[in-house]
Amino acid sequence: MEQEYCMRDDHTNVAIPFRSLYGDVCPLTKDILSQATYDFQNHCGMKCLQNPLCAGYNFKKKHQKKTPNCQLTNTLDHNFHECNADDKGWIFYHPVAPRMVPCHKMKNCKNGGKTIIYLKDGPGSDPYRCECLKGFSGDLCQIVPTLSDSVILSGEPADFLTRLTSWTGKPSSNWTLCWRATLHGWAASTFHLKCDNKKPTVTIIKVGNFIFGGYATESWN
């Protein structure tokens, strides 16, 4: 089973997945997300990891107290070398691995969904969202597939679903998925864990080009 991990906000003593891109460069003058003062470079890197818009950071080890020596930026498009020699001494770092979602930003995704960083909506939007497994929807993947979302019935003539709902006497929207072998696994124990004590149930099976199944008014346990 795939597990989801997040980055603790206080987890600063870790190997930061950054590499130095340019050395002995100038301070940034534009597109600065934030700047602060830190004694250690990895603290600056951690702040970059916690900001989903951060594309890299500038850090200067030797600095005057209370003078910012950590600059986060959302772009690599900077003029790193045009400044006075006295202003140089910065090192620009660039991430070499995908950043993890901070723990306090994790969404309570349902039905196997996981929290991802989504930047396509641009600044001002919430970049953290749930990525749902196929068939599930909603902000938290809380909307469960119905009979009309059946993978087996997709691509089949519409009268398949019409005939099935007429047999059960319930519209397709009244049915929600409790188990799908290709999603939850083929183990019988998994099937019973998800479907026991639930009734009535409709089972749909496809073998080759043949579709069959059954309707049960009693639960499986």
Side-chain angles (χ1 to χ4, degrees), residues 2-74:
E2 183 178 352
Q3 296 184 354
E4 188 173 16
Y5 297 90
C6 64
M7 180 178 62
R8 283 172 35 196
D9 300 328
D10 62 345
H11 202 16
T12 55
N13 297 319
V14 296
I16 305 298
F18 287 91
R19 65 179 175 87
S20 58
L21 193 61
Y22 303 110
D24 195 26
V25 299
C26 304
L28 305 181
T29 58
K30 64 172 186 175
D31 297 313
I32 299 173
L33 294 172
S34 65
Q35 51 187 1
T37 303
Y38 295 108
D39 291 330
F40 302 102
Q41 173 262 327
N42 66 326
H43 291 180
C44 187
M46 184 60 67
K47 287 299 178 182
C48 184
L49 282 176
Q50 292 174 346
N51 188 327
L53 299 178
C54 184
Y57 64 92
N58 224 12
F59 182 79
K60 188 173 185 178
K61 187 173 183 180
K62 295 182 179 180
H63 65 286
Q64 297 179 353
K65 288 186 176 181
K66 298 184 180 180
T67 300
N69 68 327
C70 169
Q71 299 177 313
L72 309 188
T73 180
N74 61 344

Side-chain angles (χ1 to χ4, degrees), residues 3-215:
Q3 296 184 354
E4 188 173 16
Y5 297 90
C6 64
M7 180 178 62
R8 283 172 35 196
D9 300 328
D10 62 345
H11 202 16
T12 55
N13 297 319
V14 296
I16 305 298
F18 287 91
R19 65 179 175 87
S20 58
L21 193 61
Y22 303 110
D24 195 26
V25 299
C26 304
L28 305 181
T29 58
K30 64 172 186 175
D31 297 313
I32 299 173
L33 294 172
S34 65
Q35 51 187 1
T37 303
Y38 295 108
D39 291 330
F40 302 102
Q41 173 262 327
N42 66 326
H43 291 180
C44 187
M46 184 60 67
K47 287 299 178 182
C48 184
L49 282 176
Q50 292 174 346
N51 188 327
L53 299 178
C54 184
Y57 64 92
N58 224 12
F59 182 79
K60 188 173 185 178
K61 187 173 183 180
K62 295 182 179 180
H63 65 286
Q64 297 179 353
K65 288 186 176 181
K66 298 184 180 180
T67 300
N69 68 327
C70 169
Q71 299 177 313
L72 309 188
T73 180
N74 61 344
T75 179
L76 303 183
D77 184 19
H78 291 281
N79 191 334
F80 291 100
H81 303 289
E82 290 190 6
C83 65
N84 295 327
D86 293 341
D87 294 330
K88 291 187 176 182
W90 295 73
I91 300 176
F92 187 81
Y93 293 86
H94 175 62
V96 295
R99 60 174 50 84
M100 294 176 66
V101 177
C103 291
H104 73 283
K105 294 293 186 179
M106 294 290 286
K107 302 291 186 180
N108 187 25
C109 304
K110 310 294 184 182
N111 301 306
K114 64 179 181 179
T115 308
I116 62 169
I117 299 174
Y118 185 86
L119 302 179
K120 293 184 179 180
D121 289 342
S125 63
D126 183 2
Y128 305 103
R129 62 179 58 187
C130 291
E131 182 179 59
C132 304
L133 294 175
K134 185 176 181 180
F136 295 92
S137 59
D139 291 342
L140 299 177
C141 307
Q142 75 278 11
I143 301 176
V144 181
T146 64
L147 267 181
S148 59
D149 301 309
S150 168
V151 173
I152 293 177
L153 295 181
S154 64
E156 299 296 338
D159 66 327
F160 275 41
L161 184 60
T162 302
R163 199 179 314 168
L164 183 59
T165 54
S166 68
W167 289 341
T168 63
K170 299 178 184 294
S172 62
S173 59
N174 281 24
W175 298 92
T176 57
L177 180 70
C178 70
W179 175 76
R180 178 180 290 162
T182 55
L183 176 63
H184 301 115
W186 293 85
S189 57
T190 303
F191 168 80
H192 284 286
L193 179 66
K194 291 186 169 294
C195 297
D196 280 359
N197 300 310
K198 296 176 182 178
K199 61 179 183 179
T201 57
V202 170
T203 303
I204 305 174
I205 303 169
K206 185 174 184 178
V207 178
N209 294 323
F210 298 96
I211 297 176
F212 56 96
Y215 172 77

